[in-house]
Amino acid sequence: MHLKKILTLLSSTAAAITLLSCTVISPTTSPTSGASLTQSDRQTELKAEYSALNGASGKVFTLDPGQSTVRIYVFRGGRAAAAGHNHVLSAPRFVGFFYLSATGAANGRFDLAFRLDQLEIDNPKYRSALGIAFPSILSPEAIRGAREHMLGVNNLQADKFPFVRVHSLQITGESPKFAAKVQIEMHGQQRAMWIPLTVEGLPEHLVVAGSFVLRQTDFGVQPYSVLGGFLAVQDEVVVEFKLLGDRGPP
């Protein structure tokens, strides 16, 4: 009976507990970007960097958000995981560039930057395409609650740390398969990791596809948990992307 009462309580407060989100621990490093840096500022900053690279020594591709996809998958956990939901977030707006050096991949680079407060949460079209692990279509009220819970002042603090940036540090391999060491900036902290990439469409067009696993705790984030882990969020988040771009100056 005690377990049934708990499940009933969880069901009656679904708007609060079905949000597979996280609770933030105060970062130990100072932010590298803040609310004062606007999307226009970041776009101008990256454009200037890649305009300087464009020329006889290589090719610059500007990534197109309208043709590209960026998906972030957050998974339910805990002993009562069935009472929660998996979530899919997407980035319909971002700034991104890819530089292909004339001397090969080792001297290439790429950048992708987007704002947390511009993420789309649980688009019904994306959920329905993911099968039984994402079975329900969430109400507008639940989606608004998810946004406030995941991105508000008590969690990812999107107003204070609005930007996520993926910046390449090193690229190895040969077309179409590459390995890239990237630096990920989120919540005022930076972490490096290696990710696989598939690059196609060259030399006039560009298609870059890949995925990686991001651990929330690596960025000072404690995954969401209630009732001693009875309902929780898994630490690992899957980020999946397919980026399309055309050759040309930023």
Side-chain angles (χ1 to χ4, degrees), residues 33-37 114-117 157-164:
S33 64
S36 61
L37 185 61
F114 59 87
R115 291 182 63 107
L116 289 172
D117 55 7
Q157 298 174 291
D159 58 337
K160 186 176 182 181
F161 305 104
F163 289 103
V164 173

Side-chain angles (χ1 to χ4, degrees), residues 5 16 32 48 54 77 79 95 132 138 148 150 158 161-162 166 195 203 215 217 223 236:
K5 288 181 180 179
T32 54
N54 193 51
R79 299 187 302 279
V95 178
I132 60 174
L138 302 186
E148 179 179 354
M150 289 190 284
F161 305 104
V166 180
I195 63 174
R215 290 173 58 90
T217 51
E236 295 77 17

Side-chain angles (χ1 to χ4, degrees), residues 151-221:
L151 306 179
V153 296
N154 294 321
N155 292 273
L156 282 176
Q157 298 174 291
D159 58 337
K160 186 176 182 181
F161 305 104
F163 289 103
V164 173
R165 180 175 181 177
V166 180
H167 168 66
S168 67
L169 300 172
Q170 183 180 350
I171 302 175
T172 64
E174 294 187 40
S175 182
K177 298 298 183 180
F178 297 89
K181 185 179 183 180
V182 299
Q183 177 179 274
I184 299 177
E185 172 191 327
M186 186 179 75
H187 200 255
Q189 301 194 34
Q190 297 176 340
R191 298 290 182 267
M193 66 175 65
W194 283 93
I195 63 174
L197 297 175
T198 298
V199 180
E200 299 175 323
L202 298 172
E204 296 302 320
H205 305 283
L206 177 74
V207 181
V208 182
S211 62
F212 60 91
V213 176
L214 182 152
R215 290 173 58 90
Q216 299 175 58
T217 51
D218 289 343
F219 295 85
V221 176

Side-chain angles (χ1 to χ4, degrees), residues 19 121-124 138-148 150:
L19 310 178
I121 299 176
D122 287 316
N123 185 313
L138 302 186
S139 69
E141 293 77 14
I143 292 174
R144 283 194 295 269
R147 177 176 298 278
E148 179 179 354
M150 289 190 284

